[in-house]
């Protein structure tokens, strides 16, 4: 019985540990997470001693501005040292596939590089976008999960192939700050873009909104249906005007075809219909809604100047809250080290 009790205690503690941060469920109770986030925002250096003599390694396979700056700032808020590695600038080119003959331009395999990286830090943040070469590989998060499996360190996503949970948590914090109604109507709308973009931001936004106390609607042209595991119980509306009616928040974002109904279309640009660009006419359908976007944004494609520069535009406060979402996540990881 004594051994069984120890086993159950260990299992209970393991359930509380924050060893990864990849989705909304890793945060646990959202109300508690939001309360903690606002406490951090009042005094973001309150836990500065928590990270003393701890090192956070940030690995970028892709470009970054807000994620890079906000996560470095968050780590330093917590007293941590920060190492930043740009994989494509100054590091050996990394092979990611098993069973290959490495006779090309890639000098090191990720399976050796990952545990070595783990030797030099206490936690690892990874940014690795979808490649659009293979839907199954992207949606199983092959790169991110290799870090989880082989680094021996807690791993958090700074945007992976299918999710961007630091951004989505910052979005939720922003909505909580600015909402005028107890249960606001939040609309995620597709918008045109000249290039094929990943589904990570809309996926994570849907992931969080479905667990938050909001009336959540997704609107997009046919063929752009997000993966059902992110859509869950959200209402999907193909008529953008109908979706916008009475909305309190409009979150505009482009994404390429998720390949749900036709895997052969995965990653393709099926439409550049400019009627979906959010302008003042679109916003007039709403309940004087706030405008949101994760940035960077293509003006004249995603949104017009008058909308993004209006007093109801939250793109800057939203970006500022990236520091708060990252600080909370890193704090919780530190507390479980």
């Amino acid at each position: 019985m004594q051994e069984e009790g120890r086993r159950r205690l260990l299992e209970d503690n393991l359930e509380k540990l924050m060893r990864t941060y990849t989705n909304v469920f890793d945060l646990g109770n959202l109300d508690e997470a939001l309360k903690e986030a606002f406490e951090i925002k009042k005094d973001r250096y309150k836990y500065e001693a928590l990270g003393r003599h701890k090192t956070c390694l940030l690995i970028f396979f892709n470009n970054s501005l807000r994620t890079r700056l906000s996560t470095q700032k968050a780590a330093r808020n917590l007293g941590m040292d920060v190492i930043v590695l740009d994989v494509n600038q100054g590091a050996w080119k990394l092979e990611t596939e098993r069973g290959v003959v490495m006779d090309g331009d890639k000098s090191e395999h990720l399976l050796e590089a990952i545990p070595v990286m783990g030797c030099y830090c206490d936690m690892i943040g990874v940014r690795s976008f979808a490649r659009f070469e293979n839907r199954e590989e992207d949606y199983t998060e092959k790169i991110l999960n290799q870090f989880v499996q082989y680094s021996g360190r807690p791993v958090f996503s700074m945007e992976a192939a299918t999710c961007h949970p630091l951004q989505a948590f910052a979005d939720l914090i922003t909505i909580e700050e600015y909402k005028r109604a107890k249960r606001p109507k939040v609309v995620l709308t597709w918008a045109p873009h000249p290039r094929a973009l990943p589904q990570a931001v809309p996926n994570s936004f849907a992931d969080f909104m479905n667990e938050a106390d909001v009336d959540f609607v997704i609107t997009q042209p046919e063929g752009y249906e997000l993966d059902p595991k992110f859509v869950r119980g959200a209402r999907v509306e193909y008529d953008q005007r109908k979706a916008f009616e009475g909305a309190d928040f409009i979150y505009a974002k482009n994404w390429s075809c998720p390949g749900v109904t036709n895997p052969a279309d995965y990653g393709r640009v099926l439409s550049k219909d400019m009627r979906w660009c959010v302008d003042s006419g679109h916003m007039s359908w709403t309940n004087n809604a706030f405008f949101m976007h994760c940035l960077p944004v293509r003006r004249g494609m995603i949104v017009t100047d008058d909308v993004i520069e209006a007093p109801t535009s939250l793109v800057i406060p939203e970006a500022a809250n990236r520091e708060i979402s990252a600080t909370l996540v890193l704090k919780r990881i530190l507390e479980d080290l």
Side-chain angles (χ1 to χ4, degrees):
M1 285 295 295
Q2 192 174 16
E3 182 61 32
E4 177 67 13
R6 279 197 295 265
R7 184 184 65 79
R8 288 180 180 175
L9 181 62
L10 177 60
E11 288 177 352
D12 289 343
N13 287 335
L14 285 173
E15 287 178 2
K16 297 174 184 176
L17 293 178
M18 193 168 187
R19 298 295 298 179
T20 61
Y21 178 65
T22 62
N23 58 59
V24 65
F25 302 107
D26 289 334
L27 279 179
N29 185 291
L30 270 187
D31 289 335
E32 291 180 6
L34 283 168
K35 182 180 178 181
E36 188 176 347
F38 288 118
E39 288 175 357
I40 287 170
K41 194 162 186 176
K42 289 177 183 176
D43 182 3
R44 58 200 71 196
Y45 301 108
K46 182 177 179 180
Y47 302 99
E48 191 172 9
L50 196 59
R52 186 169 179 264
H53 297 321
K54 302 292 184 184
T55 300
C56 182
L57 173 59
L58 307 180
I59 300 168
F60 292 89
F61 288 84
N62 300 95
N63 293 339
S64 176
L65 189 152
R66 277 148 296 278
T67 298
R68 180 188 298 259
L69 297 179
S70 62
T71 311
Q72 287 188 67
K73 180 66 166 60
R76 289 179 174 135
N77 290 350
L78 296 164
M80 301 183 74
D81 294 322
V82 183
I83 301 174
V84 177
L85 176 65
D86 287 296
V87 171
N88 297 317
Q89 297 180 16
W92 299 114
K93 288 188 177 181
L94 296 174
E95 177 60 65
T96 61
E97 301 297 324
R98 286 181 175 271
V100 296
V101 177
M102 292 174 57
D103 59 355
D105 64 344
K106 296 176 180 177
S107 305
E108 185 163 9
H109 202 287
L110 200 61
L111 294 180
E112 284 79 62
I114 289 173
V116 167
M117 294 174 192
C119 295
Y120 306 139
C121 65
D122 298 282
M123 66 178 73
I124 301 176
V126 181
R127 184 173 177 90
S128 179
F129 293 173
R131 297 181 178 184
F132 294 144
E133 296 171 359
N134 183 303
R135 187 184 192 278
E136 184 179 357
E137 285 192 4
D138 283 345
Y139 270 74
T140 54
E141 294 292 3
K142 182 177 178 180
I143 300 298
L144 181 66
N145 284 327
Q146 285 183 339
F147 277 90
V148 173
Q149 185 174 358
Y150 299 114
S151 69
R153 296 288 182 256
V155 173
F156 61 95
S157 171
M158 299 191 297
E159 186 173 352
T162 65
C163 291
H164 196 350
L166 287 174
Q167 177 66 55
F169 186 36
D171 297 334
L172 178 59
I173 293 168
T174 307
I175 289 171
E176 187 69 17
E177 274 186 302
Y178 285 88
K179 70 181 184 181
R180 307 184 191 106
K182 183 177 180 181
R183 192 171 189 269
K185 181 177 179 181
V186 179
V187 178
L188 169 64
T189 180
W190 179 91
H193 195 281
R195 295 176 54 242
L197 297 186
Q199 298 98 45
V201 169
N203 282 347
S204 276
F205 188 74
D207 199 30
F208 273 71
M209 291 304 107
N210 276 315
E211 301 307 313
D213 188 18
V214 301
D215 176 14
F216 181 49
V217 180
I218 303 171
T219 184
Q220 84 270 318
E222 290 189 19
Y224 281 95
E225 293 82 4
L226 296 173
D227 193 291
K229 71 179 181 180
F230 299 110
V231 176
R232 298 204 281 280
R235 178 160 66 93
V236 177
E237 177 57 68
Y238 295 98
D239 184 330
Q240 192 183 30
R241 178 166 189 157
K242 189 179 292 186
F244 274 43
E245 289 175 355
D248 299 294
F249 293 88
I250 298 297
Y251 196 105
K253 184 70 180 76
N254 173 267
W255 60 90
S256 62
C257 176
V260 173
T261 56
N262 185 2
D265 285 337
Y266 173 60
R268 290 182 56 199
V269 176
L270 302 180
S271 173
K272 295 181 183 178
D273 189 345
M274 293 300 295
R275 291 175 296 178
W276 286 76
C277 174
V278 179
D279 59 20
S280 57
H282 289 72
M283 296 300 286
S284 72
W285 305 335
T286 72
N287 183 29
N288 191 29
F290 291 105
F291 176 81
M292 300 179 69
H293 188 279
C294 61
L295 302 181
V297 66
R298 299 259 185 158
R299 291 187 179 214
M301 292 287 297
I302 302 288
V303 60
T304 55
D305 289 349
D306 56 341
V307 172
I308 198 169
E309 293 177 10
T312 48
S313 173
L314 298 181
V315 296
I316 304 305
E318 186 182 355
N321 278 331
R322 290 295 308 279
E323 177 189 348
I324 306 306
S325 67
T327 302
L328 181 141
V329 168
L330 300 189
K331 169 185 173 289
R332 288 191 171 186
I333 293 173
L334 282 169
E335 289 172 338
D336 289 330
L337 287 178

